Amino acid sequence: MPGGARASGAQAGLRRWLGRGMDTHISLPIFAAILLVVIWVVTLRTIANQGEAAQQAARASSRELIDTYEAQLARNLGSIDQTLKVLKYSVELNGASDALRQLNRHGLLPSGLVFSVMVVDRDGIVAASNPAVRQVSVADQPFFQVHSASKADTPYVSQTTTDAANPDWHMHFSRRIGDRNGQFAGVVVVAVDPAYFTSGYERSRMGGHGALGLFGSDGMLRSLRVGDTISWGGAIPAALDDSGQLAASAWDGVRRYTSMRPLHGFALTALVGLSETEQLAGFEQRRRNYLWLAGSGSLALVLVVALVCVLSWQMTRTRRRIRRFQETYAAASEASVDAFFVMRSQFDAKGTITDFVIEATNTRAEKMSGMRKQELRGKLLCEVMPGYRANGMFDDLVKVAILGGVHEAEWQSSHPAVAQLWLHRQVVPVEGGVVAIVRDITERKLAEERIRHMAHHDDLTGLPNRSMIRDRLDQAIRQASRNGRCVAVAFIDLDGFKLVNDGLGHNAGDELLKLVGMRMGDCLRHNDMLGRFGGDEFVVILADQPDDPLSVTPVLEKIRQAVNEPILLDGQEVQVGCSMGVVMYPRDGADPNTLMMNADAAMYRAKEQGKNVFQFYAREMNASVEEKLVLLEGLRNALDCGQFSLLYQPKVDLRSGRIFGVEALIRWQHPEHGMVSPARFIALAEESGLIIPIGDWVLQTACLQARAWSDAGLPQVTMSVNVSPRQFEEKRLVERVAQALSDSGLPAHALEIEVTEGIIMRDLAQSVGKMSELKAMGVTLSIDDFGTGYSSLSALKSFPISTLKIDKSFVSDLADSADDQAIALAVISLGHRLNLRVLAEGVETEQQRRFLLENDCDEMQGYLFSRPVPAAEMQTMLLAQAQAQATLEVAA
């Protein structure tokens, strides 16, 4: 900004603020504030001056009193000392007894009501006294000890005390008596009541808390009077002067104007104190009066000024409102992202609005109209924007101008300056016309479109999501119903996706889903739809189909082949398949939910038939699904209701025929379906997660049973327990095994955990780690169903296992199949090479047993020896084996 413009702006601002300062509701409070400051400054100054004057007067009174008190004490002490001198002279001249008689006869002794006179001989015995007292010893008194030890002819003043000669509180004034040779001959004493020295206390001048006192050079009070109370013996703080300083008294903490003055000829000091509270009482009353007057005057001034200011503010408010509105409108309209059009209505002779004249606009309106503000001002709206008569905007303006209210609308502009932009208008009435506020909302419209797309499409693949799939399926059903056509729905699940996702990582799995989605999309027509239902599940909607399932077979086969093609991920070639369940509307369902449910059931049937095929829906499939739902519901309560039991199948040494171990096998006694085999419910338990608590129960029960057989004296056998994939992947597997062994007391070497090679290969490093932990505990491990998975020899040698189990699928045809015989021989040879024992499962015939025995298989398990049996029957078999062994040993 140029310097001249800045200076001009500053001057304008200064004039504006000076003009505001002349307003009554601004200037009057300023004047009132100044007046309030003056009132309070004068008031506080007056109070401060009078307070200082009151303190000066109190200090002056203290000084006057110390002068008076000093003179009084000087007279009293002088009289006492004169009596001591006369008494000493008379005793030295006439002796103790005659001295007192002579002085009393001539009226030279003080009054016995206040003073007691004593003559004490050199031994400390009271030789004479007035009034008369017993001849007692006062040798222990300080005055006697001081004079007997010193030759000084100075008076001595004691502390306030009592003694054997005088039981009342008094002070000793004494002088030394010497003989003709100057030796110590005794002491003359005048004992004085301490109240005598404070009898000059005047309540009218000193108040009820003034102080009058006498203390010695030792700092101890000889006599102190405060009001009507007389005391002695207390300590005095550091000495003050006689200027009447304000200080807290040591004896009661009251602040007093205190003066002290030493007394000539005696080691005594006079003290006068005037209570601060009493001396300043008059000033405090005046101070309160001043503050009340200043406060009430200030309040009255504030009320009057406030009333005048409110009236003034209300008077100027209306004037400023118009100016502020104009300034605010100008600033807001120029800074706003909206275009403002202030328009005045134009009427014909009949009073009908024919057009609007543009009176004012802002800079944003220039961009909206393609014309400058100066060009727009004074022009007719329909002249600048003729299309507004046709699109209804002009009618909206007229309606608002006549009826009032606020009208809002959105439209896509066709004006050349803002072509294809989305605009929002808000029209409000003003006197004589309307104001139209126009905003560009193109970005908001695009954002809303993006949000709608995100709400209905999958983030990963960009395909329609579950919500949009159901919506599009509903539309396709309605259209097919109107046209008498059919709709085919294919529910697709990828086969082998989990293997890729677990083996290569989630990033590779995500990339696989995107590539497969693109391949399937390329197989469809433009009016068909592919969506991602979730995970590795997709849905294809084939609209406008004839009533013939075979019509969709070509496109389904095309999709299957496209999915089957190899895919390169992270430098590694992978291949997946897909299982598809297909339904037709209206044959297989009349609504989206039914169609999706039946397609899902058909997909599961495709999985059961070997995967990588498509299966059309048949009604009996629902029965299978319903059965699974019933079993799943019963499975949730089976554990709590005690419906599970364990059977035990012996493991036999092929050479000796001895039972060396058993395998625990679970059975489910369903209350309605009877005995349910594991083949029907284990997979359901795995899918639902119930396999974890069920597996824990099997492990705990099997360990407890093995321990029970051992406690019954039977030969110890190894208890084998199968672990499912979900159990093995569970983080607390090792902890759960340790807990089962601890709870049952079973030795770790008596437990064997069986896992399949497929479980181990899901995450080789983690699997080997868990197996190593179990082996370190002492638990043995075996690989079940060996030969059906895909473990490599390099991985197999790293497994901490003790046994390989040949799957029964290779054992069932050993007598006839050369291929099965070759596989069995290979497994036996491999196991022995790796120092592992080999067990054959499913041995049911003598021919199978003989082949295995002849080829050095170590162990077998199957119906040839025994079916799975309950615990009691297994115990009988173990007991019979133990008895037979004992018989052979005796015979030998």
Side-chain angles (χ1 to χ4, degrees), residues 68-88:
T68 302
Y69 189 40
E70 178 195 19
Q72 178 186 349
L73 288 176
R75 289 194 301 272
N76 293 341
L77 293 174
S79 175
I80 293 171
D81 193 40
Q82 184 64 35
T83 300
L84 288 173
K85 291 178 179 179
V86 170
L87 186 58
K88 173 184 176 183

Side-chain angles (χ1 to χ4, degrees), residues 574-644:
V574 299
Q575 187 174 12
V576 294
C578 61
S579 298
M580 291 184 278
V582 188
V583 293
M584 297 288 292
Y585 167 84
R587 186 191 67 178
D588 299 324
D591 60 89
N593 288 337
T594 304
L595 289 172
M596 293 297 294
M597 182 182 68
N598 292 340
D600 186 53
M603 185 271 294
Y604 274 106
R605 179 59 60 87
K607 291 273 190 186
E608 292 171 359
Q609 290 183 350
K611 302 181 180 179
N612 200 28
V613 295
F614 55 86
Q615 174 69 48
F616 284 93
Y617 171 76
R619 294 187 182 275
E620 61 270 14
M621 293 179 184
N622 272 341
S624 175
V625 173
E626 291 174 3
E627 180 188 4
K628 291 174 72 173
L629 293 176
V630 170
L631 288 177
L632 182 59
E633 185 63 29
L635 199 60
R636 300 184 193 279
N637 302 317
L639 196 59
D640 293 335
C641 297
Q643 296 173 7
F644 289 121

Side-chain angles (χ1 to χ4, degrees), residues 22-32 300-316:
M22 298 303 295
D23 291 339
T24 302
H25 62 275
I26 294 178
S27 60
L28 185 58
I30 295 174
F31 173 76
L301 178 62
V302 169
L303 292 176
V304 171
V305 170
L307 179 60
V308 174
C309 288
V310 168
L311 295 176
S312 173
W313 177 73
Q314 289 178 343
M315 291 171 61
T316 58

Side-chain angles (χ1 to χ4, degrees), residues 249-553:
S249 300
W251 55 88
D252 59 5
V254 175
R255 287 165 58 85
R256 293 182 173 89
Y257 294 96
T258 307
S259 296
M260 298 181 183
R261 186 171 294 169
L263 299 176
H264 179 70
F266 292 89
L268 295 173
T269 300
L271 177 147
V272 172
L274 298 177
S275 169
E276 179 187 24
T277 302
E278 293 178 340
Q279 294 300 310
L280 301 184
F283 162 71
E284 287 296 326
Q285 181 60 43
R286 292 192 299 276
R287 186 179 70 86
R288 288 192 292 271
N289 292 339
Y290 287 143
L291 291 175
W292 186 87
L293 288 173
S296 58
S298 299
L299 179 61
L301 178 62
V302 169
L303 292 176
V304 171
V305 170
L307 179 60
V308 174
C309 288
V310 168
L311 295 176
S312 173
W313 177 73
Q314 289 178 343
M315 291 171 61
T316 58
R317 185 180 178 186
T318 304
R319 294 196 302 269
R320 290 185 179 179
R321 186 180 301 161
I322 298 174
R323 184 171 66 251
R324 187 180 297 116
F325 172 77
Q326 292 172 344
E327 293 174 352
T328 302
Y329 169 75
S333 62
E334 287 303 317
S336 175
V337 298
D338 300 333
F340 287 80
F341 296 87
V342 181
M343 296 176 286
R344 177 168 44 84
S345 303
Q346 288 286 99
F347 299 90
D348 60 11
K350 299 180 181 179
T352 302
I353 297 177
T354 58
D355 209 336
F356 292 91
V357 177
I358 301 174
E359 291 189 336
T361 59
N362 64 349
T363 303
R364 189 68 177 174
E366 294 180 344
K367 299 179 180 179
M368 291 280 186
S369 62
M371 300 176 63
R372 298 177 60 193
K373 289 189 290 184
Q374 293 78 1
E375 298 176 39
L376 287 171
R377 190 175 297 116
K379 286 195 176 289
L380 295 175
L381 175 66
C382 293
E383 179 184 343
V384 176
M385 303 174 184
Y388 283 3
R389 284 193 184 274
N391 66 10
M393 182 175 177
F394 179 80
D395 295 335
D396 292 339
L397 297 177
V398 172
K399 184 177 180 181
V400 172
I402 296 174
L403 301 179
V406 178
H407 176 80
E408 295 188 48
E410 296 177 359
W411 82 103
Q412 193 168 19
S413 175
S414 58
H415 191 277
V418 286
Q420 302 305 313
L421 294 182
W422 278 95
L423 303 176
H424 171 273
R425 68 173 177 268
Q426 183 180 47
V427 184
V428 295
V430 295
E431 185 176 357
V434 295
V435 174
I437 305 168
V438 182
R439 173 176 294 182
D440 182 357
I441 59 170
T442 305
E443 289 188 7
R444 194 194 79 192
K445 284 288 188 179
L446 293 176
E448 290 175 354
E449 183 62 30
R450 287 195 298 270
I451 292 171
R452 280 194 296 270
H453 183 273
M454 291 171 61
H456 295 91
H457 289 78
D458 176 51
D459 291 340
L460 178 63
T461 62
L463 296 173
N465 60 12
R466 184 178 302 199
S467 172
M468 191 172 181
I469 289 171
R470 294 187 181 276
D471 183 62
R472 290 288 295 274
L473 179 56
D474 189 58
Q475 294 178 21
I477 290 173
R478 288 198 300 269
Q479 184 177 0
S481 177
R482 287 193 299 269
N483 299 334
R485 300 283 286 176
C486 296
V487 178
V489 180
F491 197 99
I492 304 172
D493 184 87
L494 300 184
D495 301 323
F497 171 76
K498 183 171 178 57
L499 177 62
V500 175
N501 201 46
D502 293 344
L504 300 181
H506 294 291
N507 290 336
D510 291 344
E511 186 64 24
L512 174 64
L513 291 174
K514 289 190 285 187
L515 292 174
V516 168
M518 287 189 291
R519 287 183 179 181
M520 289 192 290
D522 292 340
C523 300
L524 303 177
R525 304 171 300 173
H526 72 279
N527 60 334
D528 296 330
M529 193 198 78
L530 169 68
R532 185 185 177 199
F533 199 73
D536 60 345
E537 297 174 335
F538 295 84
V539 172
V540 171
I541 300 176
L542 304 174
D544 194 26
Q545 296 293 326
D547 188 11
D548 181 9
L550 295 179
S551 64
V552 300
T553 300

Side-chain angles (χ1 to χ4, degrees), residues 18 30 36 38 61 139 199 293 306 359 361 363 365 395 450 464 501 542 681 685 729 779 824 843 883-884:
L18 289 176
I30 295 174
L36 285 174
V38 172
S61 295
S199 60
L293 288 173
E359 291 189 336
T361 59
T363 303
D395 295 335
R450 287 195 298 270
N501 201 46
L542 304 174
F681 71 84
E729 292 170 354
V779 177
V843 179
Q883 291 173 350

